[in-house]
Amino acid sequence: MYLNIIKFGEALIESRSLFAEAAWLTLKLTAISIFIAIFIGLFFALLKISNIKVLEWIANFYIFIVRGTPLIVQIFVFYYGLTEIAMISGFWSATLGLAFHNGAYIAEIFRGSIQSIGKGQNEAGRSLGMNRSQTMKRIILPQAFRRALPPLGNQFIIGLKDSSLAAFIGLTEIFGAATTMGANTFDYMTWLLVSAVYYLILVFLLTLLVSFVEKKMAASD
């Protein structure tokens, strides 16, 4: 047991440059995919609350597909499907796959935050001479974004952990680096534990960031 702890400590120290690069790739993959997913989510959230049956059906169908199929299948579909159409890297295949997946959950976050705004806000906009789109843009959405920030932060953390599936299409993010080192040394357990440490550190830092944002919002309210 003591020797295993020493071995783990040595692996953690000796591989710090490799896993630092892998952690940066993980953060980059997560940040870009969530950024794209925010626009996807907002688009489908607006479709869902449009009161136009066809548009609502399209939004519901998209969310149903995402919720009903595993994320790894979605990533593989983007990876093998897009590479048949155009020259696209594994990074962008994984990014778009993660964005497609997270967009459905973010759509529900935005839908809930928009519908949580009181009807009096719509009436206030109309009384100022604004049409429906102007009221949504200038009054409803700014308030909805504030309410959506905490759950969006949590979705960012979920997306960070989901990015580990990008290893299955050849990306050397944290989990990919761990499996590569495990295959080279025939010691998967040590390197999986090393990857767990890096994930815990990143999740801890992101959790602190989300908590800080929530407190700032509460103070401003």
Side-chain angles (χ1 to χ4, degrees):
M1 181 67 178
Y2 178 71
L3 292 176
N4 288 336
I5 294 174
I6 294 176
K7 185 178 181 181
F8 168 74
E10 290 176 347
L12 188 63
I13 294 171
E14 292 173 0
S15 63
R16 61 186 182 276
S17 60
L18 170 66
F19 278 91
E21 292 180 8
W24 170 244
L25 179 60
T26 297
L27 284 173
K28 186 165 63 171
L29 179 65
T30 304
I32 297 175
S33 64
I34 292 294
F35 179 76
I36 297 172
I38 287 173
F39 290 96
I40 295 174
L42 180 59
F43 174 73
F44 282 100
L46 293 175
L47 291 188
K48 195 163 184 178
I49 63 173
S50 64
N51 294 323
I52 300 174
K53 291 298 181 181
V54 174
L55 299 182
E56 289 180 28
W57 185 88
I58 292 172
N60 287 330
F61 181 72
Y62 161 65
I63 293 170
F64 171 76
I65 291 294
V66 170
R67 286 178 169 176
T69 57
L71 173 55
I72 186 64
V73 173
Q74 296 167 23
I75 290 175
F76 276 140
V77 167
F78 271 86
Y79 181 64
Y80 290 109
L82 291 179
T83 51
E84 290 184 0
I85 300 172
M87 293 293 293
I88 186 170
S89 66
F91 174 83
W92 282 107
S93 296
T95 298
L96 294 176
L98 289 167
F100 175 81
H101 178 82
N102 285 295
Y105 295 95
I106 292 176
E108 290 294 347
I109 291 172
F110 280 139
R111 180 195 59 78
S113 63
I114 290 171
Q115 292 182 334
S116 71
I117 305 299
K119 292 183 179 180
Q121 300 292 321
N122 275 307
E123 295 172 359
R126 297 295 176 85
S127 67
L128 293 172
M130 299 182 190
N131 57 34
R132 184 179 180 184
S133 62
Q134 289 174 328
T135 302
M136 178 65 70
K137 180 180 178 181
R138 299 177 183 177
I139 297 178
I140 305 299
L141 285 182
Q143 296 179 71
F145 272 117
R146 287 176 60 82
R147 296 187 182 187
L149 276 177
L152 282 176
N154 291 329
Q155 191 64 39
F156 193 103
I157 293 171
I158 294 170
L160 173 73
K161 293 183 287 185
D162 286 344
S163 69
S164 60
L165 295 177
F168 291 98
I169 58 172
L171 266 66
T172 312
E173 41 67 67
I174 294 175
F175 182 70
T179 54
T180 299
M181 292 301 296
N184 291 339
T185 61
F186 301 100
D187 183 9
Y188 282 96
M189 182 57 69
T190 297
W191 294 106
L192 289 174
L193 290 174
V194 169
S195 71
V197 170
Y198 279 90
Y199 278 118
L200 285 170
I201 292 171
L202 292 180
V203 169
F204 175 71
L205 293 175
L206 288 174
T207 302
L208 290 179
L209 179 61
V210 171
S211 297
F212 174 76
V213 172
E214 289 179 351
K215 289 178 181 177
K216 291 290 286 184
M217 289 175 58
S220 63
D221 287 341

